Amino acid sequence: MTAAPAAPMPESLEEMRGPALGAAEIRDGIQPGQAIAALTEAGAIRPASPYASDQIQPASLDLRLGARAYRVRTSFLPGRSRTVAACVETLALHPIDLTQGAVLETGCVYIAELQESLALPAALSASANPKSSTGRIDVFTRVIADRAAAFDQVEPGYAGPLYAEISPRTFPVLVRTGSRLSQIRFRRGDPRLSDAELSALHARVPLVSAPAPSFQGGVAVSVDLAGFDGLIGYRGKRHTGLIDVDRPRDHATADFWEPLPADGRGTLILDPGQFYILASKEAVQVPPDHAAEMVPFDPLVGEFRVHYAGFFDPGFGHEAAGGTGARAVLEVRSRDVPFLLEDGQIVGRLVYERMAALPETLYGAGAGSNYQAQGLKLSKHFS
């Protein structure tokens, strides 16, 4: 397929930004932070308490845990005819008070109320994802809406509460009211770029540092097993202490992680049930007028999951936000059988979407960003 011609590059970020957004003029695309603020003022997003100062991100909103959670017997979807509360009433083992903090144990499933509820306009939908720091400590979390037939998806015009399903897989975690494990994006229309549009965007701004990137349902991303300063990654330890999700740089790396040295072979056998932190071979850029999301590569190529937290904000790795390309950190878990990963193997694809407008703050430029210009990097919780 012939690539579409590259769009002309705006002269400045101010030219890209354009006029301010109001709640009554939500445009097609991923909604930036200023639109999220306008939607909140208009009542389309309804926080139970005022936002934290850094809660609105360049292209998403962090979601906060509410006062209560429930230990439940099983994960579930409510389906078209039930509310989450009705399902919890049937499946709950016991309630948990989060106002004083609570430990969530590995291997258990919890449903937590969220402080943010929605009353979306008919043309506006939303999708959720774990925050980067949540995925990097192997906490599996998904957002559920009433009468939902899919996790992490909120249909246009939805009005009602939101809940988080939480299941720590490797480390027990300490959470409390206000802890932020998930984030949500709002979109109008279908802003996803086609393969031809991706190729044209890459010609304007190198999206990945590959000599001949693959554009097929997204930009291909491969794994780096050559090593970073003598390491190819980390493997999570079992039977560790607690991770307090609200205490950054307060946990000793050696207590939770086993470093994996680079041995020159460029391979790694994934053990079933183990959790790994690896990094992409390519440096990634997200232009200020786009957002991206990592999606798993074709599951037929191997029995492993390559990410939990997939959102990449506008400005990630981009020079306009103080970056010169940044590696994508890969949260990898093998499934039922051992699997051999090789250096340069494609493990995921980055899907790019147009922003409705340029965010007022870019990732890495005063947005409380922890992973700009990253290489192989653990979550912010570790010293």
Side-chain angles (χ1 to χ4, degrees), residues 220-383:
V221 175
S222 65
V223 64
D224 191 327
L225 296 180
F228 301 79
D229 297 324
L231 294 180
I232 60 172
Y234 296 88
R235 179 165 50 211
K237 292 184 175 181
R238 296 290 191 179
H239 314 297
T240 67
L242 283 173
I243 293 178
D244 187 329
V245 301
D246 298 317
R247 296 182 66 175
R249 296 175 295 281
D250 196 51
H251 306 77
T253 298
D255 291 343
F256 295 87
W257 297 100
E258 174 190 354
L260 301 174
D263 57 12
R265 292 183 292 183
T267 61
L268 175 65
I269 296 176
L270 303 176
D271 291 325
Q274 293 285 347
F275 181 69
Y276 300 83
I277 294 293
L278 306 173
S280 69
K281 204 163 188 68
E282 300 81 11
V284 171
Q285 288 198 63
V286 182
D289 51 352
H290 287 77
E293 181 177 356
M294 178 80 80
V295 296
F297 189 50
D298 185 348
L300 297 178
V301 304
E303 290 299 313
F304 61 92
R305 179 188 175 113
V306 75
H307 85 97
Y308 288 79
F311 286 168
F312 289 71
D313 273 340
F316 179 86
H318 194 271
E319 61 182 359
T324 55
R327 306 296 181 99
V329 166
L330 309 172
E331 303 114 10
V332 180
R333 173 179 287 279
S334 186
R335 293 176 180 166
D336 298 325
V337 297
F339 187 80
L340 177 69
L341 273 184
E342 299 184 81
D343 184 51
Q345 181 173 341
I346 295 176
V347 293
R349 292 188 182 271
L350 276 173
V351 170
Y352 284 75
E353 297 180 281
R354 297 180 188 84
M355 294 294 298
L358 193 76
E360 292 179 349
T361 302
L362 299 177
Y363 187 91
S369 312
N370 293 290
Y371 306 115
Q372 185 69 299
Q374 70 182 357
L376 175 67
K377 189 171 183 179
L378 294 172
S379 77
K380 64 183 180 181
H381 304 97
F382 301 99
S383 56

Side-chain angles (χ1 to χ4, degrees), residues 5 8 14 37 50 86 89-91 96 111 135 147 162 168 198 219 242 250 262-263 277 279 282 299 318 336 375 377:
E14 287 69 27
E89 186 174 350
T90 301
L91 298 171
I96 299 168
I111 300 295
R147 299 175 180 83
L162 298 174
L198 272 175
V219 186
L242 283 173
D250 196 51
D263 57 12
I277 294 293
E282 300 81 11
H318 194 271
D336 298 325
K377 189 171 183 179

Side-chain angles (χ1 to χ4, degrees), residues 51-75:
Y51 289 147
S53 60
D54 61 346
Q55 191 173 343
I56 297 178
Q57 298 295 314
S60 63
L61 173 69
D62 291 350
L63 298 174
R64 300 168 295 177
L65 299 185
R68 288 179 298 180
Y70 301 87
R71 167 79 165 88
V72 293
R73 289 188 290 133
T74 178
S75 175

Side-chain angles (χ1 to χ4, degrees), residues 193-213:
L193 270 61
S194 68
D195 293 343
E197 290 169 328
L198 272 175
S199 180
L201 179 61
H202 179 73
R204 190 186 88 187
V205 179
L207 303 179
V208 292
S209 60

